């Protein structure tokens, strides 16, 4: 049988054309061209002068035609016997029309039509929601009946890599779903709710699907935003229907993606969609309270904003277990690359370890996209396997934001400025940070050039000195332009934006301001218990701004000190980039190596 969702779609396909057709039929027709209106005396004068050829009289109105062919109209007095006598005497053709009595229902036709249209739409919506808004054939979201049966899930833990600790915790859920009896005999209550939180693309949805695939239980996945409807109460009805279905399919897993769409902090009622979201959240809390730990229904949810979730949602008995799904380290990235490389033709010489080291900060989705881009490049270049060249090009596409602009027209002055800018990044980076991996003035995306740094290992904790060096690297391009060319350009806009953001985090998130210290963290914006953003006082915000300016000034001073000390290397690097356009790490170190002064031979006496 066709689903309720399909019936609803077919009804819309019929209803919308009917509305348009009815609107065209009932829409008032275009009024005729304006007709000359005469006064009663003008009308009599025209008749006496023999200018009128014929007249049609209807009640107290006469529509006439001049002998010239022009039409006119005139309103007649209550007694117009004089008119008929005059028309008869002058020989004007006369016709009389009986009064027309229009049906009163005709004037009500547009109103009746729209009442039927609105009533029909409301009836269809009611049928869709079910009687009382709580029962009946209610589809969960735009796609009804999306339960994946055991064996239909093609994902298991072998397809998940880079988050071994999370997998270990979830193995307990898998074991419970397979062998619930031993847990009941022990009196252990399995967590009914598992919250996965982490940055976008880290693999939260993949983990949930893998748990269902590993356990071999029914699985339903949808976004929390699908609960929120225009009509208040519809979201709560959807939640009730969802959990009613889940109890029928138990043991099973429900996965709610982006749960912060309905699970944010509750505050004072603001009306509209806010009330609908709160009612949906309240119903979700009530339904999760109905689990006793032995129902076999496990609710998994994902979010990248755990800080905005309502505390009632996170208490024990609802989401008992909260698991961070973070960006993988170098070992995790290697494992993820190996998983995705299984389905692709890869050159044996392709070193995945090198790619893993060069992709610090990439999520699992980023790495999957990287290998896919590399495969597309290999096909474009007519190769049968993905080589290291395609992998490196895909990394640079991801970092710099697009393909190389080899054919872009650039003036010699602009080329020199870009070379000086990137040379500044390379010189300061080579002295303060990990080795330079590549520097180029061939643009990608919106960038005129870029510098890549090679990190042998991931670092998660940074001191104030570490961050100050990173800021100096960001500001080095602008400082190099001022040092060698006399003034900066607009090419440093992205560097400045990133530098200001990092400096503000140092003050208001990490408490690294010189005068504010830990108190600077009070200047950070966050969500209070009412669900609204907390804001620092004006005095504290002004102090945070002052600290940010001081940090940026210190970083700029550090960058200038390095550039002045290594000015000769900066000039050589700029000239090398103008000549070759792209330098790898070894070439960069060769250019920056200071020449050794030759000894002047001593003359023999």
């Amino acid at each position: 049988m066709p689903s309720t969702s399909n019936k609803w779609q077919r009804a819309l396909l019929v209803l919308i054309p009917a509305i348009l057709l009815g609107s065209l039929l009932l829409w008032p027709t275009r009024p005729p061209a304006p007709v000359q209106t005469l006064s009663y005396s003008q009308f009599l004068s025209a008749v006496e002068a023999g200018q009128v050829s014929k007249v049609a009289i209807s009640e107290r109105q006469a529509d006439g035609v001049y002998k010239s062919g022009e039409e006119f109209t005139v309103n007649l007095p209550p007694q117009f016997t004089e008119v008929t006598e005059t028309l008869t005497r002058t020989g004007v053709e006369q016709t009389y029309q009986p009064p027309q009595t229009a049906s009163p229902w005709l004037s009500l036709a547009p109103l009746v039509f729209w009442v039927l249209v609105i009533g029909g739409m409301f009836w269809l919506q009611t049928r869709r929601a079910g009687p009382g808004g709580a029962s009946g054939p209610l589809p969960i979201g735009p796609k009804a009946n999306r339960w994946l049966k055991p064996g239909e899930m093609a994902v298991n833990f072998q397809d998940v890599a880079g988050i071994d600790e999370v997998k270990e915790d979830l193995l307990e859920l898998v074991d419970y779903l397979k062998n619930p009896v031993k847990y009941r005999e022990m009196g252990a209550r399995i967590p009914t709710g598992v919250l996965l939180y982490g940055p976008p693309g880290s693999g939260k949805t993949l983990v949930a699907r893998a748990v269902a695939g590993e356990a071999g239980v029914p699985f339903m996945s949808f976004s929390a935003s699908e609960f929120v409807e225009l009509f208040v109460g519809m979201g709560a009805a959807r939640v009730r229907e969802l959990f009613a279905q889940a109890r029928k399919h138990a043991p099973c897993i429900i996965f709610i993606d982006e749960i912060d769409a309905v699970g944010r902090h509750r505050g004072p009622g603001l009306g509209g969609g806010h009330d609908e979201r709160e009612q949906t959240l309240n119903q979700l809390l009530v339904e999760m309270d109905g689990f006793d730990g032995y129902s076999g229904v496990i609710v998994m949810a994902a979010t990248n904003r755990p800080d905005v979730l309502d505390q009632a949602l996170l208490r024990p008995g609802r989401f008992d277990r909260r698991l961070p799904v973070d960006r993988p380290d170098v070992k995790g990235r290697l494992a993820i690359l190996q998983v995705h490389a299984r389905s692709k033709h890869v050159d044996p010489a392709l070193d995945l370890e090198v790619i893993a080291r060069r992709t610090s900060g990439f999520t699992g989705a980023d790495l999957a996209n990287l290998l896919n881009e590399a495969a597309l490049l290999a096909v474009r270049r007519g190769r049968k396997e993905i080589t290291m060249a395609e992998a490196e090009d895909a990394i640079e596409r991801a970092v710099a934001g697009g393909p190389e602009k080899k054919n872009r027209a650039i003036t010699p002055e602009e080329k020199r400025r870009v070379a000086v800018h990137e040379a500044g990044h390379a010189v300061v980076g080579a002295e303060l940070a990990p080795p330079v991996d590549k520097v180029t003035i061939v643009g990608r995306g919106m960038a005129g050039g870029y510098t890549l740094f090679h990190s042998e290992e991931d670092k998660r904790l940074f001191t104030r000195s570490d961050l100050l060096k990173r800021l100096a690297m960001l500001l080095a391009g602008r400082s190099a332009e001022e040092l060698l060319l006399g003034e900066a350009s607009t090419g440093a806009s992205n560097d400045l934006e990133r530098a200001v953001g990092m400096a503000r985090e140092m003050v208001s998130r990490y408490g690294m301001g010189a005068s504010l210290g830990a108190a600077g963290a009070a200047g950070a914006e966050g969500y209070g218990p009412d669900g609204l953003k907390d804001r620092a006082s004006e005095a504290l915000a002004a102090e945070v701004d002052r600290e940010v300016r001081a940090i940026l000034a210190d970083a700029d001073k550090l960058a200038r000190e390095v550039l002045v000390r290594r000015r000769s290397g900066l000039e050589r690097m700029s000239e090398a980039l103008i000549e070759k356009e792209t330098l790898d790490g070894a070439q960069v170190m060769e250019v920056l190596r200071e020449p050794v002064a030759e000894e002047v031979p001593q003359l023999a006496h």
Side-chain angles (χ1 to χ4, degrees):
M1 289 181 62
S3 65
T4 307
S5 177
N6 292 334
K7 293 180 180 178
W8 170 252
Q9 294 173 0
R10 288 199 300 269
L12 284 180
L13 292 176
V14 175
L15 188 60
I16 292 175
I19 292 174
L20 294 176
L21 180 60
S23 300
L24 291 174
L25 294 175
L26 296 175
W27 195 263
T29 58
R30 185 175 181 178
V35 179
Q36 182 182 6
T37 302
L38 301 181
S39 66
Y40 183 62
S41 59
Q42 290 175 330
F43 170 63
L44 291 178
S45 299
V47 172
E48 293 287 352
Q51 299 174 354
V52 178
S53 64
K54 60 181 179 179
V55 172
I57 299 176
S58 175
E59 294 187 356
R60 293 178 55 186
Q61 180 175 325
D63 298 320
V65 179
Y66 287 113
K67 290 182 177 179
S68 62
E70 296 182 7
E71 298 180 354
F72 66 86
T73 183
V74 61
N75 294 323
L76 302 177
Q79 301 295 330
F80 51 88
T81 56
E82 179 183 5
V83 175
T84 58
E85 293 175 358
T86 305
L87 294 173
T88 303
R89 179 167 48 81
T90 56
V92 177
E93 180 183 348
Q94 305 173 48
T95 57
Y96 294 88
Q97 298 177 358
Q100 297 180 357
T101 57
S103 172
W105 295 106
L106 185 61
S107 60
L108 296 177
L111 176 62
V112 172
F113 173 77
W114 287 113
V115 167
L116 292 175
V117 168
I118 296 173
M121 294 179 67
F122 182 78
W123 177 78
L124 288 173
Q125 181 70 15
T126 305
R127 286 290 303 273
R128 185 185 179 210
S135 61
L138 174 67
I140 305 300
K143 300 177 182 178
N145 302 323
R146 293 179 301 174
W147 285 99
L148 293 179
K149 299 178 181 179
E152 292 182 351
M153 182 64 65
V155 181
N156 53 39
F157 278 161
Q158 293 181 353
D159 302 306
V160 180
I163 46 176
D164 294 338
E165 297 82 2
V166 176
K167 288 167 61 175
E168 289 177 4
D169 275 346
L170 293 176
L171 279 173
E172 194 173 69
L173 297 181
V174 174
D175 187 44
Y176 165 76
L177 291 170
K178 288 183 175 180
N179 307 293
V181 176
K182 66 178 181 180
Y183 289 89
R184 294 177 183 175
E185 291 177 350
M186 184 61 66
R189 183 182 62 83
I190 203 69
T192 56
V194 178
L195 178 66
L196 305 172
Y197 63 93
S202 55
K204 302 181 289 295
T205 303
L206 181 65
V207 168
R209 295 172 67 88
V211 171
E214 198 74 22
V217 296
F219 177 82
M220 174 179 273
S221 170
F222 52 89
S223 173
S225 60
E226 297 180 32
F227 285 127
V228 182
E229 289 284 342
L230 175 64
F231 301 101
V232 176
M234 287 295 297
R238 289 178 182 277
V239 172
R240 286 192 293 270
E241 178 67 18
L242 167 66
F243 280 87
Q245 291 186 20
R247 291 182 177 92
K248 295 178 182 178
H249 287 83
C252 64
I253 293 176
I254 300 173
F255 178 67
I256 307 174
D257 199 7
E258 304 295 343
I259 194 173
D260 50 279
V262 295
R264 286 177 176 263
H265 293 293
R266 287 169 293 179
L270 301 177
H274 186 81
D275 288 341
E276 164 68 357
R277 182 182 62 80
E278 286 201 359
Q279 288 193 24
T280 304
L281 174 59
N282 291 337
Q283 188 63 43
L284 179 61
L285 298 177
V286 170
E287 293 293 340
M288 293 191 70
D289 270 343
F291 293 152
D292 57 4
Y294 304 105
S295 63
V297 179
I298 295 178
V299 181
M300 301 185 70
T303 180
N304 54 9
R305 293 295 308 276
D307 55 307
V308 305
L309 294 181
D310 195 283
Q311 291 303 309
L313 196 62
L314 302 178
R315 74 159 175 81
R318 287 169 181 154
F319 284 104
D320 310 78
R321 186 167 294 180
R322 296 184 287 276
L323 302 177
V325 185
D326 204 354
R327 289 182 172 86
D329 56 14
V330 62
K331 181 181 177 181
R333 291 196 298 274
L334 176 59
I336 293 173
L337 288 169
Q338 290 172 342
V339 169
H340 291 292
R342 293 200 302 252
S343 60
K344 295 177 174 58
H345 296 284
V346 177
D347 186 355
L350 179 66
D351 195 340
L352 294 179
E353 292 187 11
V354 173
I355 299 175
R357 289 195 298 269
R358 291 187 55 185
T359 51
S360 178
F362 278 45
T363 63
D366 294 332
L367 295 171
N369 184 64
L370 185 151
L371 283 184
N372 185 66
E373 284 290 336
L376 294 175
L377 288 171
V379 173
R380 184 184 306 173
R381 295 170 183 176
R383 295 179 177 172
K384 300 297 184 181
E385 295 177 329
I386 301 174
T387 66
M388 198 67 187
E390 284 77 42
E392 291 178 348
D393 199 357
I395 293 174
E396 293 179 22
R397 278 172 174 259
V399 173
E404 285 187 340
K405 298 181 178 180
K406 297 180 179 179
N407 299 323
R408 186 183 65 176
I410 182 172
T411 64
E413 294 78 8
E414 184 179 350
K415 186 175 183 179
R416 174 170 292 278
R417 185 170 291 277
V418 174
V420 169
H421 184 99
E422 297 305 328
H425 287 309
V427 170
V428 174
E431 181 149 332
L432 301 181
V436 178
D437 191 63
K438 179 179 180 179
V439 57
T440 180
I441 60 173
V442 178
R444 280 182 182 268
M446 299 300 294
Y450 55 94
T451 304
L452 299 178
F453 297 93
H454 185 72
S455 178
E456 292 294 336
E457 58 183 18
D458 293 294
K459 188 174 183 179
R460 297 183 179 272
L461 297 178
F462 298 91
T463 64
R464 188 178 189 277
S465 299
D466 294 333
L467 296 178
L468 200 64
K469 291 178 181 179
R470 286 176 173 261
L471 285 174
M473 292 163 53
L474 287 172
L475 299 176
R478 184 175 186 275
S479 300
E481 290 185 47
E482 293 179 339
L483 181 63
L484 295 188
L485 303 177
E487 59 182 351
S489 69
T490 59
S493 60
N494 182 256
D495 296 333
L496 291 174
E497 182 180 352
R498 293 168 58 193
V500 170
M502 185 183 298
R504 187 167 295 278
E505 281 199 339
M506 290 175 64
V507 177
S508 61
R509 184 175 181 183
Y510 306 125
M512 293 181 176
S515 60
L516 284 177
E525 288 189 346
Y527 285 89
D530 58 353
L532 303 177
K533 277 193 173 182
D534 295 330
R535 295 184 178 179
S537 66
E538 293 184 4
L540 180 56
E543 185 66 17
V544 168
D545 290 339
R546 190 191 66 78
E547 290 276 14
V548 170
R549 290 195 297 270
I551 288 177
L552 292 174
D554 290 343
D556 187 56
K557 180 182 178 182
L558 176 59
R560 290 176 184 272
E561 289 176 352
V562 174
L563 292 173
V564 170
R565 187 169 62 251
R566 303 293 300 273
R567 177 162 184 161
S568 61
L570 176 64
E571 293 174 344
R572 293 195 303 272
M573 178 70 68
S574 303
E575 295 300 327
L577 284 173
I578 293 174
E579 178 184 354
K580 299 181 179 180
E581 294 189 341
T582 300
L583 301 174
D584 60 23
Q587 291 172 320
V588 168
M589 299 311 298
E590 181 65 28
V591 171
L592 292 180
R593 184 177 296 113
E594 294 292 341
V596 179
E598 297 182 1
E599 296 183 2
V600 179
Q602 301 293 328
L603 296 176
H605 293 285

